[in-house]
Structures are given as C-alpha cells and as structure tokens.
C-alpha cells in the first residue's frame, strides 16, 4: 500500500488540492461572480480585439471587433436578470441528457442493460474490456456529443459486470469520447463544419482552395488505434490501480441468465432489428425522407439533427420489449415509473448544470473568452516559428486555450482565419493546420472544468464514490490528457516528416 501511494503521490496531491475546492455547484457560482467582476474591470480599461473571423450568418470571412461587455453595466445587469431561465433551459447538455435518459432509464431499470452486458462480458476477454470501452467512446463522437450521455454510465456498468471498479469504466469512456474527439473510423457530423470554416480561411489567400470533410480522415483512422491503445494502458496501469477498493453489492454481481431474461432479450432483439430496419429505409436510399431534401446528404440531414431522439428510441423501444418479455413491465405505469426513476437519478447533475449554464452564458456574453483566445493566438503569430516546431507549438497553444474556452468549432471559427493564412505562407496546408488544432483541442477536453459535460462526469464519479470532487476527476483524467498529447505529437511529427496524406487529396505541405 505504501508503494502504491508513493507511485501516485503527484496525482494524489492534485486530488487533495482539487477536493479542497468548494462543491462544484458553488465553484461555478464563484466563477460566475469572477466573470462579472472581470468584465467590469476589463471594460474599464476598454479591452478589445480585432481579428479576421468567420461569420456563420453570412458564410464569409469578415473583420470582427470584439469588445468587453460589462456585466455590471445597466445593459449587462438587465441581460443577467432576464436570461437566467433561458440560460438553463437552453444549455445544450440539459435537453440531450433528459431525452436520452428517458430511454436509457427503461433499459437499465428493467435490467436489460445488465443482462446484455453479461453476454458482452462473457464473450470479451477481461484484458480487452478497457479497450472496448475506449474504442466505443471514440466511435460515439461520430454523432457529436451523444457519447457523453450514453457511454459514461455504460462504461461503469460494463466494468461492474466484469468485477472492476466502475469509476475506471467512467474514466475510460470519458477518455474515449472526449479525449478521442479527433479520432474515428468514420466521418462525423463535425467534420463538414471544420472543413467549411477551414475553406473560408484558406480562401483569404487562395480563393480556389477547398478543404474537404475527409481532409483529416486517414490521420483520424490511425489516431483511433493510437487513442485506444493509450487509453487502455492508462486505464489498466495508472487509473484503476490508483482507485480505492470498490465494495460490490449483490445487485452488481454477474449472475447466470434466466429463461425469463433470455425471452426478454429475444423480444428486445426483434424490436431492435425492426427499429433499425425502419431507420435504414429512411436514410439508405438517396431519396430517403431523413436525408437532406436538397443535396441527399446524410451528414447534414434531418437524421443527424434528430440523432438524440433516434438514440433515445433505440434504448426505449427494446427496453420496453425486454421488460414485457422478462415480466418487469406489466402496464404503462411501470414504464412511466422507470422513466421517472431515471430522471431522479440525475438530480445532482441538474443542480450543477443550472450554475454551469449561468457561468457559460455570462462568460460568452462578456467576450472575455474571445479576447483571451485571440491575444494568445496573436502571441504565437509574433514568435515567427516555421515548419514542424510551429505546428507542434500550435498544438500546445490550442490545448491551453481549450482549458478556458472548450467550444471546439467556435474557437476554430475564430482561430482559423488567423492561422491558416499564416501557415499557408510558410508552406503548411490548411488540412495540417486543422488537424493540429483538433489535436490540441482534444487532449485537454478531459481535464477542463469548463467543458459543458464536466458536471456530468462529476455526478457519475460521485454515484460510485461519494467523496469524489473536482480534484478526483482532474487527477484521474490528467494521465490520459498527458499521454494523448505525447502520443499525438509523436504521430503528427512522423506524419509531417514522411509527408503522408492526411486524407484523400490532403497533403501536409503545399
């Protein structure tokens, strides 16, 4: 035990320091107050920045001047008191969590998830459990932020089913979903958005340059393998050994599947196949009703816009079918109770998210994040580095900026017009600039408390460890962040030195 504590002394120090912070809800309250005061001070000194930015309304690059909005001015005060409710109800994680939990709570409450995972665990070697969770987390980001909502609780359940610490399962899932944001085998919903912003930025110097959504695809595929391997190693060798011993309850033990459970799984399987078939009819044909009616695209389509609903139904319908077949559901009252129990289980998250929403909204309104990010970007520009050192420094700067402004596409819309033209002039392609940004952005996703989904992971940690706090989460996730950063720097360096294509028709240099 003494050697174990010695090996993790640094992480334990971070955990103790972080856990001395106030309750997460009050920390967001303090951050909100700090933002209000900082906006008044910055406004007093007339701080502002001017930069070439992408205007999403007009779809063009324009000169934008961002000045501080004083939250203590009359206008700022009126904004605060009139937008508290809208800030909460309009906070993205709120609606998505509620929607998906409705479906997940039924599959979990009937016992379907546990039974299904028994089967998965029985077929998956214990040594591959971590790899499976991290890999599933990476794949989930093809549907934007869905993985945060679905895979965090599933990671805990999968580890519980294999008699492993549930917090390690949450950490592995969070590492895959959030740290693996720049990795995937598929082109996701964010790739066309990145490509469009990068194209507009490149057109400042070259009006004919087009960045395709597949511009980083080859690099992302190899990154998927790398992130899975690193995430697995960190989970098994660093994170789980550091955790205290977990006391498994009788409800968390893996029992033999009964005949009723097998019948429930058959009902659920048939329902799932019917549901998937109906979805396939709407998206596979080029004229499918859930494709974009004008372009026929699937990436930008009603299906992708409604992906949260379809995921909720993917859990809800088989969950109900399982409950009917297994005998846990006998009336509509049973279904409604399962949904209500699922919502009540995220009460801590709702309190956290209320204050997190206020801080996020006030910080965005004040323009403090924009001013800090632009000034940091301009500082890098003035250093005058070129080639690989410039690229790697950009990765680190993007990682640091992400800690205070973890909104990936918004930052890229601001930074791309600065860095893509500058890097083009020294021979770096827009695609490699884009991937360097995405690497930096991904590596610190797992440790920034300002991530909109950070309150969620705290709540899940606390479900299995009542003493867990912000320090527990950061100290647990920091090894992933450092390892991913080192791994990606090595991978990007090799890609640059061998001048490998980042995607179809996407070179490293111009």
């Amino acid at each position: 035990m003494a050697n174990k504590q010695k090996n993790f002394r640094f992480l334990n120090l971070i955990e103790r320091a972080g856990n001395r912070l106030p309750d997460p809800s009050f920390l967001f309250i303090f951050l909100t107050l700090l933002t209000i005061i900082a906006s008044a001070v910055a406004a007093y000194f007339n701080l502002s920045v001017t930069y070439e930015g992408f205007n999403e309304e007009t779809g063009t690059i324009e000169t934008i001047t961002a000045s501080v909005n004083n939250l203590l001015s009359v206008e700022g005060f009126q904004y605060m008191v009139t937008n508290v409710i809208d800030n909460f109800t309009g906070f993205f994680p709120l609606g998505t969590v509620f929607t998906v939990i409705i479906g997940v709570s039924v599959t979990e409450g009937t016992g379907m998830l546990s039974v299904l995972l028994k089967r998965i665990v029985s077929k998956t070697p214990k040594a591959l459990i971590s790899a499976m969770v991290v890999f599933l987390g990476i794949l989930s980001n093809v549907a934007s932020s869905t993985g945060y909502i679905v895979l965090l609780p599933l990671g805990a359940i999968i580890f519980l089913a294999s008699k492993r610490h549930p917090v390690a399962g949450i950490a592995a899932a969070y590492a895959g979903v959030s740290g693996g944001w720049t990795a995937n085998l598929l082109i996701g919903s964010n790739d066309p958005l990145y490509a469009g912003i990068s194209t507009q930025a490149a057109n400042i110097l070259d009006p004919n340059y087009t960045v395709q959504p597949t511009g980083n695809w080859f690099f992302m595929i190899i990154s998927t393998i790398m992130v899975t391997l690193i995430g697995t190693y960190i989970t098994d060798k660093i994170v789980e050994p550091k955790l205290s011993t977990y006391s498994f309850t009788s409800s968390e033990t893996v029992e033999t599947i009964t005949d009723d459970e097998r019948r429930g799984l058959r009902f659920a399987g048939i329902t799932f196949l019917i549901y998937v078939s109906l979805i396939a009819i709407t998206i596979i044909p080029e004229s499918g009703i859930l494709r974009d009616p004008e372009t026929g695209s699937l990436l930008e389509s009603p299906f992708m816009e409604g992906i949260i609903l379809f995921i909720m139904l993917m859990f809800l319908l088989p969950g109900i079918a399982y409950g009917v077949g297994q005998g846990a559901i006998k009336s509509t009252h049973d279904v409604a109770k399962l949904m209500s129990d699922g919502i009540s289980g995220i009460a801590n998250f709702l309190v956290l998210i209320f204050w997190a929403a206020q801080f996020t909204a006030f910080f965005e309104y004040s323009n403090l994040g924009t001013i800090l990010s632009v000034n940091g970007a301009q500082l890098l520009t003035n250093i005058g580095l070129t080639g690989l050192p410039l690229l790697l420094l950009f990765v680190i700067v993007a990682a640091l900026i992400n800690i205070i402004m973890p909104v990936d596409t918004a930052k890229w819309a601001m930074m791309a017009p600065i860095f893509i033209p500058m890097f083009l002039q020294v021979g770096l392609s827009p695609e490699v600039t884009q991937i360097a940004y995405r690497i930096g952005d991904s590596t610190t996703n797992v440790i920034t408390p300002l991530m909109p989904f950070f309150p969620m992971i705290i709540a899940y940690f606390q479900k299995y460890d009542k003493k867990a706090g912000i320090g527990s989460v950061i100290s647990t996730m920091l090894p992933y962040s450092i390892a991913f950063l080192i791994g990606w720097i090595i991978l990007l360096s090799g890609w640059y030195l061998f001048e490998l294509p980042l995607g179809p028709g996407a070179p490293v240099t111009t």
Side-chain angles (χ1 to χ4, degrees):
M1 178 63 70
N3 289 334
K4 177 180 176 180
Q5 292 301 320
K6 182 177 180 181
N7 291 338
F8 299 109
R9 184 178 299 169
F10 174 67
L11 295 179
N12 291 334
L13 179 63
I14 293 176
E15 179 172 0
R16 287 195 298 270
N19 286 342
R20 288 194 182 101
L21 294 171
D23 181 86
S25 297
F26 279 88
L27 182 60
F28 280 111
I29 293 174
F30 296 151
L31 287 173
T32 302
L33 295 174
L34 180 61
T35 298
I36 294 171
I37 296 171
S39 71
V41 174
Y44 177 80
F45 289 102
N46 295 319
L47 295 184
S48 65
V49 291
T50 300
Y51 61 95
E52 294 296 315
F54 180 73
N55 188 321
E56 295 184 1
E57 294 182 0
T58 63
T60 59
I61 299 294
E62 298 178 2
T63 300
I64 299 175
T65 299
S67 301
V68 175
N69 289 322
N70 184 358
L71 287 163
L72 288 180
S73 65
V74 173
E75 183 179 352
F77 183 77
Q78 291 175 346
Y79 164 81
M80 289 190 291
V81 299
T82 59
N83 284 274
V84 169
I85 303 301
D86 290 341
N87 292 342
F88 177 55
T89 58
F91 199 45
F92 175 74
L94 177 64
T96 54
V97 168
F98 255 75
T99 303
V100 174
I101 285 295
I102 287 175
V104 173
S105 61
V106 173
T107 57
E108 186 174 10
T110 58
M112 174 186 159
L113 283 182
S114 297
V115 174
L116 184 60
L117 290 171
K118 288 179 192 177
R119 301 294 294 270
I120 294 175
V121 170
S122 67
K123 302 295 182 181
T124 303
K126 188 174 182 179
L128 298 180
I129 291 293
S130 298
M132 180 183 68
V133 172
V134 175
F135 180 70
L136 291 175
I138 295 169
L139 290 187
S140 71
N141 67 45
V142 72
S144 189
S145 302
T146 304
Y148 289 104
I149 305 156
V150 176
L151 277 178
L152 294 187
L154 287 186
I157 295 172
I158 290 173
F159 270 54
L160 280 171
S162 59
K163 288 294 187 178
R164 296 180 61 182
H165 203 299
V167 170
I170 297 170
Y174 192 49
V177 176
S178 197
W181 200 248
T182 299
N184 216 306
L185 301 180
L186 305 172
I187 299 300
S189 57
N190 280 331
D191 293 289
L193 180 55
Y194 276 115
I197 295 172
S198 298
T199 297
Q200 289 289 334
N203 291 162
I204 293 175
L205 288 183
D206 185 353
N208 298 317
Y209 203 105
T210 301
V211 179
Q212 299 293 343
T214 55
N216 295 150
W217 194 16
F218 297 162
F219 189 89
M220 290 167 58
I221 290 173
I222 302 302
S223 293
T224 302
I225 300 172
M226 183 203 75
V227 171
T228 300
L229 293 176
I230 292 177
T232 300
Y233 180 84
I234 297 297
T235 301
D236 293 346
K237 302 300 182 181
I238 297 180
V239 169
E240 194 164 18
K242 175 183 176 294
L243 297 171
S244 59
T245 303
Y246 182 78
S247 299
F248 294 89
T249 64
S250 58
S251 62
E252 294 166 343
T253 58
V254 180
E255 305 291 342
T256 304
I257 297 176
T258 65
D259 290 338
D260 287 342
E261 290 172 339
R262 289 191 181 92
R263 183 170 60 253
L265 285 180
R266 285 197 299 271
F267 280 33
I270 293 171
T271 302
F272 178 76
L273 289 176
I274 293 173
Y275 176 71
V276 170
S277 298
L278 292 174
I279 293 295
I281 292 173
T282 66
I283 62 175
I284 292 179
E286 292 186 3
S287 59
I289 60 174
L290 289 180
R291 283 181 173 266
D292 186 290
E294 296 182 359
T295 65
S297 171
L298 182 59
L299 290 176
E300 298 180 6
S301 64
F303 174 74
M304 293 305 297
E305 291 180 6
I307 192 69
I308 297 297
L309 170 64
F310 298 123
I311 289 175
M312 183 269 282
L313 293 175
M314 182 181 68
F315 282 95
L316 178 63
L317 298 179
I320 293 175
Y322 173 87
V324 172
Q326 186 265 349
I329 293 178
K330 296 181 174 60
S331 69
T332 56
H333 297 289
D334 295 329
V335 178
K337 185 178 185 304
L338 290 171
M339 294 179 182
S340 299
D341 290 344
I343 295 299
S344 65
I346 60 171
N348 289 341
F349 172 70
L350 297 180
V351 175
L352 285 169
I353 209 172
F354 175 83
W355 295 109
Q358 307 312 319
F359 166 69
T360 301
F362 291 177
F363 193 69
E364 180 180 356
Y365 175 85
S366 70
N367 276 337
L368 289 173
T370 300
I371 291 173
L372 290 172
S373 299
V374 170
N375 285 331
Q378 290 175 344
L379 175 63
L380 179 60
T381 303
N382 294 333
I383 293 177
L385 294 176
T386 60
L388 183 59
L390 172 62
L391 208 56
L392 298 183
L393 184 58
F394 181 53
V395 169
I396 295 173
V397 169
L400 294 175
I401 291 177
N402 187 58
I403 294 176
I404 64 171
M405 191 180 178
V407 185
D408 52 356
T409 53
K411 289 196 307 294
W412 186 231
M414 177 188 63
M415 296 173 68
I418 298 173
F419 289 102
I420 283 184
M422 180 187 71
F423 285 13
L424 265 174
Q425 295 182 66
V426 296
L428 297 175
S429 71
E431 289 86 356
V432 78
T433 306
Q434 176 179 281
I435 199 64
Y437 165 78
R438 296 178 72 176
I439 289 172
D441 181 76
S442 295
T443 54
T444 49
N445 273 344
V446 295
I447 60 171
T448 171
L450 303 186
M451 169 69 69
F453 290 96
F454 195 80
M456 179 187 294
I457 190 173
I458 295 176
Y460 282 128
F461 265 56
Q462 291 175 340
K463 180 177 180 180
Y464 300 100
D465 182 0
K466 302 301 182 184
K467 297 180 180 180
I470 292 177
S472 304
V473 176
I474 294 178
S475 68
T476 300
M477 302 310 300
L478 184 60
Y480 293 105
S481 183
I482 295 173
F484 288 161
L485 180 60
I486 294 173
W488 257 317
I489 284 177
I490 294 172
L491 183 62
L492 181 61
S493 298
W495 218 279
Y496 178 89
L497 294 174
F498 288 100
E499 296 189 356
L500 302 174
L502 293 161
V508 170
T509 58
T510 57

